C-alpha cells in the first residue's frame, strides 16, 4: 500500500485536529483579552494610586508648610514680645535707673545677669543696651562675641528711635560676626517721653530658627524648608541648605531669570503648590507662602522623585502583580492548551492506530476493498489486492468510481443501493467487474454503510471474485439439465414402454380373445350342426374345449382389468360410499344366483378417490363374499367403516368359508388362490386388484379369518375433509 | 344383398363375422346385412365412393356394427367421420369390440356412438348379445325420419 492509503481514515484524523486549530485561536484570543484586561486594570489602579499618593504627599507638604509658618510666626512674635518686655515695665525702670546712675554695679550686674538668662532661653547671641546713637551701654553676651553691634544694628536702632517702635531686623552677614545674624531693636522711653536708650537683641538663627525651619516632622529623604527674601531682582536663601554646602545669604538667584525656581516664584508672590526645579535643578513639588509680618517667604519642598517614589513602587508592585497574574494566566492557559494538545495527540495516536489497523485489515484481506463516496460513487480509497486484481495503480484507482469498473452500473440505481445499505447492516449484491485490460469477471459485493460523526459518510465495499462459484453453479446447472434430460429420456422410455404395454394389452384384449371366441363359437357350431354324428364322448371333449376357451377368456379379462387398474390415471373426486355400496350390491345380483343374502351397510363416510377404481374394489370384495358364502345356511355380508388416525377403515365381513390365516399374505397376490377351481371358481385376480387400487390411493389392505369362520377384509382410504366439513 | 342394406357389419375377422351373421340369422335379421373388411371400405360403401361408386347407402342403413380394430382406417376414425358429417350423423352406430379399454369406451361415447358392446368370449352370450342388438335397432328402435 502506498503512503496515500487510508484517506478516509486520514480524514477522520484531520477532522480530529480541527478543534485543535480552533482551540489555538481561542486560546490566543483569551490570552490577548486577559493581557489587555490585566494591563488596563493595572494601569488604572496605578494611575489612581499615583494620583492619591501625590495628593496625599502634597497635602502633607502643605500641612507641614502651614505648621512651619505658624512656628516661625510664633517665633517672631516671641522675639518681639521679648523686645517689648525688655523695653517696658520693670526692666525699663531698672534701665532708666541705670541710665541715671551708670555706676550702680548692682543694678548693672542684675540687668546683665537677667539678659544673659534671656539669651540662653531665647536663643539670643547677645543683648545690648545701646544709646540712641548705638553706643553700647551694657552688653550681655554668650561666648566670645564682639562687644560692638553690627553696622546693620545702627540702622535698626536709628529706625527704632525714629519710629519709637520695635524694629525687627533682617538676616545679615557682617564682617564683625562669623554667623549670619538678625537684630531686633526696642526703644526704651525715658521719663520725659523721649527715647532714652535702645535694647538690641542680637539673634543667631543657627541656634533656634534654622533647626526649627529645617526640621521635618516625617522622615523624608529630600524634604526641605527654605526661608527666602527678595533683594531687588534676587531671591536670597536665608537659611542653610540641605543639599548644598553654602553659607546662609550666599545663595542667590535671579528672580526674573528663574521662572521655575520655587523660591523665585514665592518672592514673586505666588502661593500654594508649585511644581518646579529647585536650586539643584531637580524637579520638586513645593508649597509657597509668605510669612506674615515679615519680608520672608517660605518654600517647603520635596523632590518630585520622592513623591512619585511611592507611586512608582506601588506601580512596580502593580506591575509585578499584573506580571504575576499574566504568568499565572498564561501558565493556566498553556496548561489547558497542553492538556488539550495531549488529548488531541492521544486521539490522533488512537486514530493512527485505528488507521494502521484499518490498513492492516485492508491489506490482509484477500478480497478487494473499496472505500466509496456514497454521494458520487467515486472511490476514496482501495486496497492493494484491489489494485492488483483490477490492474490499475492506486493513483488511478482513487480517481475512479464504481462506474469505471462496473460495466453494468447505472447511476440511477445508486441512491437505491445506498438507501438499502443504510437500512440494513450489510448488503450483498452480485455484479460484474472489468479489469484494466478489459476482461470481466463476476463478483459478489458486500457493502457496509458507515456514518461518520461529522462530515462525510462512507461505504465500505468488498468484492469477491466468484468466477469459480459461478462456474461451479453453471456446471451444477449443466448437471441438473443433464439430469433432467436423463430423467426426461427415461420418462420417455418409460412412456414408450407403457405405450408398448398398452398396445400389448390392447392386442391381448382384441387379438387373443377373438380366437378364443372362435374356438368356443365354432366348437358350439360343431355341436349344433353335427351333434347327431358325435357320440357322448365327442360332446364331452367339445365341452372341455369350450370350457377351456372360456376360462382363458376370463383370465385375459381379469388380467387386463388388473393391468388397467395399475395403469389407470386416478381421477380423485368425492365419493358417497353409501350410495356406491348400494349401487355395487345391485350390480352383484347376477352373482347371487337368486340366493337370499343378508347385506348390512353401516353409515359410511364420504371419501376421496377414483370412483371407477373404488367401485372395482367394492365389487371385488362383495363378489368374493358372495362367492364364499355360497355354502352358508344364512349368508351374511356386512359393510361398515370407522375412523382411525385420519383415515377411514372400511370392513367387509362375511360368514363364509373363511381362510387359514397362515396364507393371509398370499391373499392379495396375483393369481394366488386358496381354493381349487372345483370348490370356488376364480382367477385369483380380484384381491390383487383391490390391493393395487387401495395402495394407489395411499391406503392399506388386510384380512382376518379362519377356516369355516368367515372372513373380514379391511381397507383404508382418506376421508374427504371438504365433504365432512360441508356436512 | 342387392336389395336395401339395413345393417352394415364392419369386421376384419372372418370368424367373428361368421358368428355375428349366424347370430343375426337366428333372429332372421341377416337378409339386409352387408359386410366390409376395413374402415376405408366402410366409408366407401356408405358414401358411394371407390368400388361402391354410384350407390350410396347412407339413407337406408338402420345400424352400423363397427369393430374398432380395423385395417387402414380404424373404427374410431370411421365413427368420428360419420358423426361429424350431418348426412350420416343420424345413422345409429354400435361399436362391437373385444376391447374393454376404458379409453376406447370413453372416446367412442365422446364421438357419439349409440351403443358400445364388448364381445363376450362366451359363445352363448355372444350370440344372444348380437341377436338382441339386431332386434333392437332394426325392429324396436324408431329412427328419425
Amino acid at each position: 500500500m502506498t503512503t496515500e492509503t487510508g484517506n478516509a481514515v486520514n480524514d477522520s484524523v484531520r477532522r480530529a485536529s480541527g478543534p485543535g486549530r480552533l482551540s489555538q485561536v481561542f486560546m490566543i484570543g483569551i490570552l490577548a483579552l486577559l493581557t489587555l484586561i490585566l494591563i488596563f486594570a493595572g494601569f488604572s489602579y496605578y494611575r489612581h494610586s499615583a494620583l492619591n499618593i501625590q495628593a496625599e504627599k502634597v497635602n502633607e507638604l502643605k500641612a507641614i508648610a502651614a505648621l512651619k509658618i505658624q512656628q516661625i510666626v510664633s517665633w517672631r512674635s516671641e522675639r518681639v514680645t521679648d523686645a517689648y518686655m525688655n523695653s517696658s515695665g520693670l526692666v525699663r525702670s531698672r534701665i532708666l535707673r541705670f541710665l541715671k546712675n551708670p555706676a550702680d554695679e548692682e543694678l548693672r550686674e542684675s540687668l546683665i545677669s537677667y539678659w544673659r538668662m534671656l539669651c540662653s532661653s531665647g536663643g539670643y547671641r547677645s543683648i545690648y543696651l545701646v544709646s540712641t546713637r548705638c553706643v553700647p551701654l551694657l552688653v550681655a553676651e554668650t561666648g566670645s562675641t564682639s562687644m560692638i553691634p553690627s553696622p546693620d544694628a545702627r540702622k535698626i536702632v536709628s529706625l527704632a528711635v525714629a519710629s519709637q517702635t520695635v524694629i525687627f531686623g533682617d538676616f545679615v552677614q557682617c564682617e564683625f560676626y562669623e554667623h549670619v545674624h538678625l537684630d531686633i531693636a526696642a526703644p526704651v522711653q525715658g521719663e520725659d517721653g523721649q527715647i532714652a536708650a535702645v535694647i538690641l537683641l542680637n539673634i543667631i538663627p543657627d541656634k533656634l530658627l534654622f533647626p526649627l525651619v529645617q526640621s521635618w516632622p516625617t522622615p523624608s529623604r529630600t524634604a526641605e524648608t527654605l526661608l527666602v527674601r527678595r533683594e531687588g531682582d534676587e531671591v536670597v536663601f536665608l537659611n542653610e541648605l540641605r543639599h548644598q554646602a553654602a553659607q546662609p545669604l550666599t545663595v542667590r538667584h535671579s528672580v526674573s531669570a528663574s521662572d521655575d525656581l520655587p523660591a523665585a516664584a514665592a518672592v514673586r508672590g505666588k502661593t500654594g503648590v508649585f511644581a518646579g526645579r529647585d536650586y539643584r535643578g531637580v524637579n520638586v513639588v513645593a508649597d509657597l507662602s509668605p510669612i506674615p509680618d515679615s519680608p520672608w517667604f517660605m518654600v517647603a519642598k520635596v523632590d518630585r522623585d520622592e513623591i512619585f517614589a511611592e507611586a512608582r513602587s506601588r506601580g512596580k508592585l502593580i506591575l509585578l502583580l499584573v506580571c504575576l497574574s499574566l504568568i499565572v494566566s498564561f501558565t493556566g492557559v498553556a496548561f489547558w492548551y497542553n492538556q488539550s494538545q495531549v488529548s488531541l495527540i492521544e486521539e490522533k495516536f488512537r486514530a493512527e492506530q485505528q488507521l494502521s489497523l484499518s490498513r492492516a485489515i485492508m491489506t490482509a484481506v484477500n478480497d478487494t476493498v473499496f472505500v466509496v463516496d456514497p454521494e458520487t460513487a467515486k472511490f476514496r480509497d482501495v486496497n492493494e489486492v484491489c489494485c492488483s486484481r483490477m490492474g490499475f495503480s492506486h493513483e488511478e484507482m482513487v480517481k475512479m468510481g464504481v462506474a469505471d469498473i462496473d460495466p453494468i452500473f447505472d447511476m440511477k440505481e445508486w441512491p437505491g443501493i445506498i438507501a438499502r445499505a443504510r437500512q440494513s447492516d450489510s448488503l450483498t449484491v452480485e455484479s460484474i467487474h472489468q479489469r484494466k485490460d478489459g476482461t470481466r469477471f463476476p463478483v459478489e459485493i458486500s457493502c457496509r454503510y458507515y456514518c461518520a460523526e461529522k462530515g462525510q459518510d462512507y461505504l465500505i465495499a468488498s468484492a469477491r471474485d466468484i468466477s469459480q462459484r459461478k462456474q461451479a453453479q453453471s456446471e451444477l446447472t449443466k448437471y441438473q439439465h443433464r439430469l433432467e434430460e436423463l430423467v426426461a429420456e427415461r420418462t420417455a422410455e418409460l412412456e414408450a414402454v407403457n405405450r408398448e404395454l398398452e398396445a400389448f394389452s390392447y392386442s391381448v384384449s382384441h387379438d387373443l380373445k377373438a380366437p378364443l371366441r372362435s374356438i368356443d363359437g365354432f366348437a358350439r357350431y360343431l355341436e349344433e350342426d353335427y351333434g347327431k354324428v358325435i357320440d357322448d364322448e365327442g360332446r364331452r371333449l367339445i365341452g372341455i374345449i369350450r370350457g377351456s376357451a372360456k376360462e382363458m377368456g376370463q383370465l385375459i379379462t381379469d388380467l387386463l382389468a388388473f393391468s388397467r387398474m395399475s395403469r389407470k390415471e386416478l381421477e380423485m373426486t368425492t365419493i358417497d360410499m353409501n350410495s356406491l355400496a348400494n349401487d355395487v350390491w345391485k350390480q352383484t345380483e347376477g352373482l347371487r344366483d337368486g340366493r337370499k343374502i343378508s347385506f348390512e351397510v353401516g353409515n359410511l363416510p364420504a371419501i376421496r378417490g377414483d370412483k371407477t377404481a373404488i367401485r372395482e374394489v367394492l365389487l371385488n370384495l362383495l363378489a368374493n363374499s358372495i362367492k364364499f358364502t355360497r355354502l352358508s345356511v344364512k349368508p351374511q355380508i356386512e359393510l361398515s367403516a370407522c375412523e382411525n388416525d385420519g383415515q377411514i377403515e372400511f370392513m367387509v365381513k362375511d360368514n363364509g368359508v373363511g381362510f387359514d390365516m397362515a396364507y393371509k399374505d398370499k391373499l392379495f397376490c396375483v393369481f394366488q388362490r386358496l381354493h381349487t377351481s372345483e370348490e370356488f371358481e376364480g382367477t385369483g385376480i380380484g384381491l390383487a386388484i383391490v390391493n393395487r387400487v387401495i395402495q394407489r390411493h395411499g391406503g392399506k389392505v388386510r384380512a382376518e379369518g379362519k377356516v369355516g369362520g368367515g372372513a373380514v377384509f379391511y381397507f383404508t382410504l382418506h376421508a374427504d375433509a371438504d365433504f365432512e366439513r360441508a356436512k | 344383398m342387392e336389395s336395401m342394406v339395413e345393417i352394415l357389419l364392419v369386421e376384419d375377422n372372418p370368424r367373428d363375422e361368421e358368428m355375428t351373421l349366424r347370430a343375426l340369422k337366428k333372429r332372421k335379421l341377416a337378409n339386409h346385412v352387408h359386410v366390409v373388411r376395413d374402415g376405408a371400405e366402410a366409408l366407401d360403401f356408405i358414401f358411394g365412393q371407390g368400388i361402391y361408386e354410384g350407390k350410396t347407402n347412407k339413407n337406408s342403413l338402420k345400424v352400423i356394427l363397427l369393430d374398432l380394430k380395423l385395417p387402414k382406417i380404424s373404427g374410431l376414425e370411421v365413427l368420428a367421420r360419420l358423426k361429424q358429417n350431418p348426412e350420416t350423423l343420424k345413422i345409429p352406430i354400435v361399436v362391437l369390440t373385444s376391447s374393454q379399454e376404458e379409453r376406447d369406451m370413453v372416446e367412442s361415447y365422446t364421438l357419439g356412438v349409440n351403443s358400445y358392446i364388448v364381445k363376450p368370449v362366451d359363445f352363448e352370450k355372444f350370440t344372444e348379445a348380437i341377436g338382441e342388438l339386431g332386434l333392437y335397432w332394426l325392429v324396436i328402435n324408431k329412427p328419425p325420419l
Side-chain angles (χ1 to χ4, degrees):
Chain A
M1 204 176 293
T2 71
T3 50
E4 286 183 8
T5 50
N7 283 343
V9 196
N10 266 340
D11 281 349
S12 71
V13 174
R14 271 185 230 120
R15 275 198 299 280
S17 67
R21 275 208 303 275
L22 193 73
S23 75
Q24 245 173 5
V25 172
F26 183 64
M27 187 201 66
I28 289 168
I30 279 186
L31 282 181
L33 192 68
L34 209 63
T35 310
L36 280 176
I37 287 172
L38 280 171
I39 287 173
F40 179 75
F43 181 74
S44 300
Y45 183 60
Y46 166 72
R47 204 175 148 71
H48 179 72
S49 301
L51 284 174
N52 269 354
I53 289 166
Q54 206 175 334
E56 202 179 296
K57 287 282 173 189
V58 168
N59 283 340
E60 192 183 295
L61 190 67
K62 278 163 86 172
I64 291 169
L67 180 73
K68 296 255 169 202
I69 286 165
Q70 204 187 339
Q71 283 174 336
I72 292 165
V73 166
S74 64
W75 176 80
R76 272 180 73 106
S77 67
E78 273 170 24
R79 298 292 79 73
V80 172
T81 305
D82 277 352
Y84 274 117
M85 289 262 293
N86 285 292
S87 60
S88 61
L90 192 64
V91 182
R92 175 181 161 244
S93 55
R94 286 168 93 175
I95 289 169
L96 288 178
R97 256 192 298 152
F98 172 74
L99 286 175
K100 281 177 195 164
N101 188 12
D104 188 347
E105 277 301 317
E106 194 186 343
L107 198 56
R108 172 197 293 256
E109 281 304 315
S110 77
L111 276 172
I112 285 174
S113 67
Y114 172 67
W115 283 336
R116 272 186 186 151
M117 200 176 66
L118 191 63
C119 274
S120 62
S121 69
Y124 304 104
R125 189 188 61 170
S126 49
I127 296 171
Y128 301 88
L129 179 69
V130 294
S131 69
T132 53
R133 293 194 176 227
C134 204
V135 177
L137 304 172
L138 274 174
V139 179
E141 55 188 352
T142 56
S144 56
T145 51
S146 168
M147 288 296 289
I148 303 156
S150 65
D152 286 300
R154 293 174 192 279
K155 286 179 200 167
I156 292 170
V157 166
S158 59
L159 274 171
V161 169
S163 65
Q164 294 191 3
T165 55
V166 172
I167 297 297
F168 206 106
D170 211 337
F171 295 105
V172 287
Q173 177 80 58
C174 68
E175 57 219 68
F176 301 101
Y177 297 117
E178 186 187 353
H179 297 288
V180 167
H181 61 95
L182 181 148
D183 292 308
I184 301 168
V188 180
Q189 241 175 350
E191 301 286 343
D192 53 353
Q194 292 297 306
I195 298 302
V198 176
I199 299 289
L200 197 60
L201 302 172
N202 182 257
I203 300 167
I204 296 178
D206 287 0
K207 273 193 174 171
L208 266 176
L209 185 62
F210 284 173
L212 184 74
V213 169
Q214 280 167 346
S215 75
W216 199 263
T218 57
S220 170
R221 199 163 37 79
T222 61
E224 184 178 20
T225 314
L226 302 171
L227 275 178
V228 294
R229 70 164 182 252
R230 184 168 185 156
E231 286 181 11
D233 189 38
E234 282 182 335
V235 58
V236 182
F237 290 73
L238 303 179
N239 57 337
E240 286 176 340
L241 301 179
R242 183 172 181 179
H243 305 294
Q244 194 173 324
Q247 287 299 308
L249 303 182
T250 58
V251 179
R252 291 163 183 269
H253 287 273
S254 163
V255 172
S256 55
S258 320
D259 275 349
D260 53 353
L261 189 71
V267 297
R268 277 201 304 271
K270 181 140 180 67
T271 59
V273 177
F274 178 84
R277 273 194 296 189
D278 74 351
Y279 52 90
R280 297 166 296 163
V282 173
N283 283 324
V284 295
V285 174
D287 184 70
L288 312 177
S289 49
I291 294 170
D293 304 327
S294 80
W296 302 341
F297 297 89
M298 204 187 73
V299 175
K301 68 172 179 69
V302 176
D303 280 8
R304 198 182 158 78
D305 276 351
E306 188 179 331
I307 287 182
F308 286 100
E310 198 173 332
R312 264 202 302 277
S313 69
R314 186 73 63 88
K316 278 178 193 160
L317 194 69
I318 289 166
L319 190 67
L320 190 71
L321 276 173
V322 167
C323 287
L324 273 174
S325 307
L326 281 176
I327 286 166
V328 166
S329 314
F330 272 65
T331 311
V333 171
F335 181 74
W336 168 77
Y337 179 71
N338 192 39
Q339 283 299 103
S340 66
Q341 283 298 307
V342 165
S343 63
L344 270 181
I345 287 164
E346 276 172 1
E347 196 176 319
K348 195 175 172 181
F349 179 70
R350 274 199 299 275
E352 271 171 2
Q353 266 192 332
Q354 192 70 42
L355 182 68
S356 60
L357 186 65
S358 305
R359 276 179 188 159
I361 291 168
M362 275 177 83
T363 316
V365 290
N366 198 28
D367 293 333
T368 54
V369 177
F370 304 89
V371 181
V372 190
D373 188 321
E375 298 284 325
T376 61
K378 296 281 178 196
F379 301 136
R380 287 203 209 141
D381 196 12
V382 296
N383 68 350
E384 263 183 1
V385 177
C386 179
C387 298
S388 64
R389 290 220 181 131
M390 301 304 293
F392 292 99
S393 71
H394 189 269
E395 286 73 21
E396 285 173 324
M397 283 301 289
V398 292
K399 284 175 195 154
M400 291 160 63
V402 179
D404 299 314
I405 58 158
D406 189 339
I408 60 167
F409 176 73
D410 186 355
M411 194 62 199
K412 284 177 201 154
E413 292 169 7
W414 183 249
I417 294 171
I418 290 298
R420 275 194 292 154
R422 287 192 79 142
Q423 277 164 12
S424 55
D425 266 359
S426 64
L427 177 70
T428 305
V429 291
E430 283 191 10
S431 189
I432 294 170
H433 278 175
Q434 183 168 336
R435 296 189 188 90
K436 193 177 186 179
D437 60 14
T439 53
R440 295 180 177 184
F441 58 101
V443 285
E444 183 190 79
I445 305 162
S446 303
C447 315
R448 207 183 162 94
Y449 192 89
Y450 286 94
C451 292
E453 280 180 17
K454 287 175 189 171
Q456 286 180 306
D457 294 354
Y458 54 96
L459 188 78
I460 297 271
S462 77
R464 183 166 293 190
D465 186 342
I466 52 167
S467 300
Q468 287 183 343
R469 194 205 296 173
K470 280 280 172 190
Q471 200 180 337
Q473 268 177 359
S474 77
E475 270 174 28
L476 196 66
T477 314
K478 218 157 72 186
Y479 281 129
Q480 274 174 345
H481 283 314
R482 177 81 193 112
L483 200 65
E484 277 164 18
E485 276 169 22
L486 274 174
V487 168
E489 273 172 30
R490 276 302 162 94
T491 309
E493 279 170 23
L494 278 172
E495 277 170 357
V497 168
N498 239 358
R499 271 197 302 276
E500 273 172 32
L501 201 65
E502 275 176 42
F504 171 73
S505 50
Y506 194 79
S507 42
V508 165
S509 62
H510 248 93
D511 301 348
L512 293 190
K513 279 163 90 179
L516 287 173
R517 194 160 47 245
S518 297
I519 292 167
D520 184 30
F522 284 91
R524 173 70 196 219
Y525 295 159
L526 188 65
E527 209 175 14
E528 278 182 3
D529 294 0
Y530 301 95
K532 289 169 188 169
V533 294
I534 298 171
D535 60 4
D536 288 349
E537 179 60 13
R539 275 191 290 274
R540 191 184 66 84
L541 295 176
I542 288 171
I544 291 171
I545 292 169
R546 291 189 63 195
S548 300
K550 282 178 197 166
E551 195 179 321
M552 188 169 170
Q554 189 59 46
L555 268 172
I556 292 169
T557 304
D558 288 352
L559 194 58
L560 284 174
F562 178 72
S563 162
R564 221 170 27 240
M565 278 306 139
S566 302
R567 288 181 287 118
K568 182 187 189 318
E569 260 183 45
L570 299 178
E571 287 172 39
M572 305 302 275
T573 55
T574 301
I575 304 169
D576 180 353
M577 289 297 276
N578 289 307
S579 69
L580 184 66
N582 288 321
D583 241 26
V584 173
W585 183 251
K586 277 175 202 157
Q587 204 183 335
T588 58
E589 200 178 343
L591 302 173
R592 281 176 261 157
D593 304 331
R595 284 190 295 131
K596 246 189 132 64
I597 300 174
S598 152
F599 181 57
E600 285 174 30
V601 186
N603 186 23
L604 304 178
I607 56 103
R608 199 153 175 81
D610 182 292
K611 196 165 181 178
T612 316
I614 300 301
R615 171 187 283 271
E616 197 76 11
V617 168
L618 284 180
L619 185 60
N620 274 294
L621 289 173
L622 290 180
N624 236 22
S625 290
I626 290 165
K627 185 161 65 179
F628 293 107
T629 52
R630 195 184 294 157
L631 304 174
S632 306
V633 185
K634 276 180 84 180
Q636 284 180 343
I637 300 174
E638 264 178 61
L639 176 56
S640 59
C642 64
E643 201 173 334
N644 190 4
D645 257 356
Q647 288 209 317
I648 310 294
E649 189 171 65
F650 291 89
M651 182 182 82
V652 180
K653 188 178 176 185
D654 65 59
N655 59 349
V657 296
F659 62 92
D660 187 344
M661 280 296 274
Y663 306 116
K664 67 179 167 67
D665 292 336
K666 287 192 171 179
L667 276 174
F668 297 100
C669 296
V670 182
F671 298 138
Q672 292 291 333
R673 305 201 67 220
L674 299 184
H675 303 275
T676 60
S677 297
E678 278 80 25
E679 289 175 308
F680 295 101
E681 77 290 341
T683 53
I685 213 94
L687 288 178
I689 289 176
V690 168
N691 186 29
R692 177 58 53 93
V693 169
I694 296 302
Q695 264 183 359
R696 292 191 65 198
H697 277 77
K700 280 179 179 167
V701 293
R702 64 192 174 96
E704 285 172 6
K706 60 180 181 183
V707 179
V712 191
F713 288 88
Y714 301 92
F715 64 94
T716 57
L717 285 169
H718 290 288
D720 185 76
D722 293 340
F723 185 84
E724 289 295 307
R725 229 178 284 135
K727 224 162 58 169
Chain B
M1 289 286 282
E2 291 304 311
S3 60
M4 281 227 298
V5 177
E6 290 181 338
I7 300 173
L8 177 65
L9 175 62
V10 190
E11 175 64 78
D12 66 325
N13 187 330
R15 291 179 290 278
D16 275 5
E17 177 211 328
E18 193 180 333
M19 282 195 285
T20 305
L21 289 176
R22 231 178 136 115
L24 288 173
K25 258 183 211 161
K26 274 200 168 180
R27 299 286 179 118
K28 316 244 186 292
L29 297 169
N31 293 339
H32 304 285
V33 178
H34 182 78
V35 180
V36 290
R37 291 276 171 238
D38 60 65
E41 195 186 343
L43 291 173
D44 283 351
F45 177 80
I46 294 163
F47 292 108
Q49 38 192 27
I51 54 166
Y52 299 100
E53 182 76 54
K55 185 177 186 337
T56 63
N57 295 286
K58 57 181 184 262
N59 298 321
S60 62
L61 287 172
K62 287 194 171 171
V63 69
I64 298 171
L65 302 179
L66 183 66
D67 195 1
L68 288 182
K69 194 164 179 289
L70 292 170
K72 295 181 183 174
I73 296 174
S74 81
L76 283 173
E77 192 166 346
V78 171
L79 174 65
R81 290 206 194 168
L82 293 178
K83 287 298 178 187
Q84 279 161 12
N85 192 327
E87 292 181 351
T88 54
L89 70 84
K90 290 175 184 167
I91 304 172
I93 299 177
V94 175
V95 165
L96 201 59
T97 179
S98 309
S99 170
Q100 267 182 300
E101 288 294 312
E102 199 178 302
R103 201 182 55 192
D104 285 343
M105 218 181 288
V106 170
E107 181 84 33
S108 299
Y109 278 113
T110 308
L111 289 172
V113 80
N114 300 79
S115 192
Y116 188 99
I117 292 172
V118 178
K119 291 178 193 168
V121 175
D122 191 310
F123 172 77
E124 268 91 21
K125 282 183 185 165
F126 180 80
T127 305
E128 196 182 329
I130 299 292
E132 293 286 318
L133 78 92
L135 195 65
Y136 174 79
W137 288 109
L138 264 70
V139 181
I140 301 170
N141 186 47
K142 287 290 170 200
L145 294 172

